[in-house]
Amino acid sequence: MNIILIGFMGSGKSAVGHELAQELGLHYVDTDEIIAKTEKMSINDIFSQKGEAHFRYLETEVVKTLQDYENFVIATGGGMVLRPENVKMLKEIGPLVLLWAEPEVIFNRIKHEEHRPLLRVADPLAEIKVILGRRVQIYREAADHVVDTSKLSVKEVVHQVIEHVEKNNHE
Ligand code: S3P
C-alpha cells in the first residue's frame, strides 16, 4: 500500500507524511528531496538556474520511478498534480490525499521559511491567494480524498487520513 499526499506548499505534507508513515509502519519519501538529491542542487537553485519548466520535467521523471514503490507515504511538491500525466501515474500506485489549508494558514506556516522559490516575493500572502486560486480546481479534481488541515493538528490530520484509508481499504 502507498499513500500519496498532494497539496499546496505549507499544507503539511511533510509533517503529516512523516508521522503518517511512522503510525502505519510505512516508509516516507518526498519527491522534492529525490529531485534535489539526484540533481545535487537545492530546489531554489534548480528554479533559478534551470527554470521552472525544467523542474516540472524532473518531477515527471521522478513519478515514473515511483511506479515500483511499495509501502510508502509519498509527499509530492505542490505543483506535482498540475500535469495530468503525473496524476495518472500517481493514481496507479495509491490514493491521492489532498491536504488543504486556507491561504492565511499557509502564510503563517511558511512565512519564516526560505526554500520555496515561488513564494520569495514581496507579498507572499497575495501570491499564495493567486496561485491557490489558479490551482484549487486541479487539486480537488486530482484528489481521492480531501482533509482541510486549517484548524487541525498534525496528529488529527494523520488520524483522518488513516480513517479514510482504512475505510476504503486501499491495497
Ligand atoms: C512547488 C512546491 C514545492 C516545490 C517547488 C514548487 C509548487 O514543494 O516542489 O518549490 O509549485 O507549488 P512543497 O509543496 O513541498 O513546498
Side-chain angles (χ1 to χ4, degrees), residues 10-12 101 105-113 149-150 152:
S11 59
V105 175
I106 290 172
F107 176 67
N108 277 316
R109 288 181 188 160
I110 61 100
K111 65 185 172 197
H112 300 303
E113 298 179 354
T149 71
S150 300
L152 302 180

Side-chain angles (χ1 to χ4, degrees), residues 10 33 36 55 78 82 86 90 96 110 124 160 171:
E33 282 171 17
F55 176 76
L82 298 178
N86 296 354
L90 287 170
L96 269 56
I110 61 100
Q160 287 207 11
E171 290 296 332

Side-chain angles (χ1 to χ4, degrees), residues 7-10 13 30 32 43 47 52 55-56 59 76-79 82 115-118 135 139:
F8 201 71
M9 301 169 261
K13 292 167 293 185
D30 177 319
D32 278 350
I43 302 300
F47 266 71
E52 180 171 350
F55 176 76
R56 299 300 173 204
E59 277 191 314
T76 60
L82 298 178
H115 65 275
R116 297 189 168 91
L118 294 178
R135 291 184 181 174
Y139 283 140

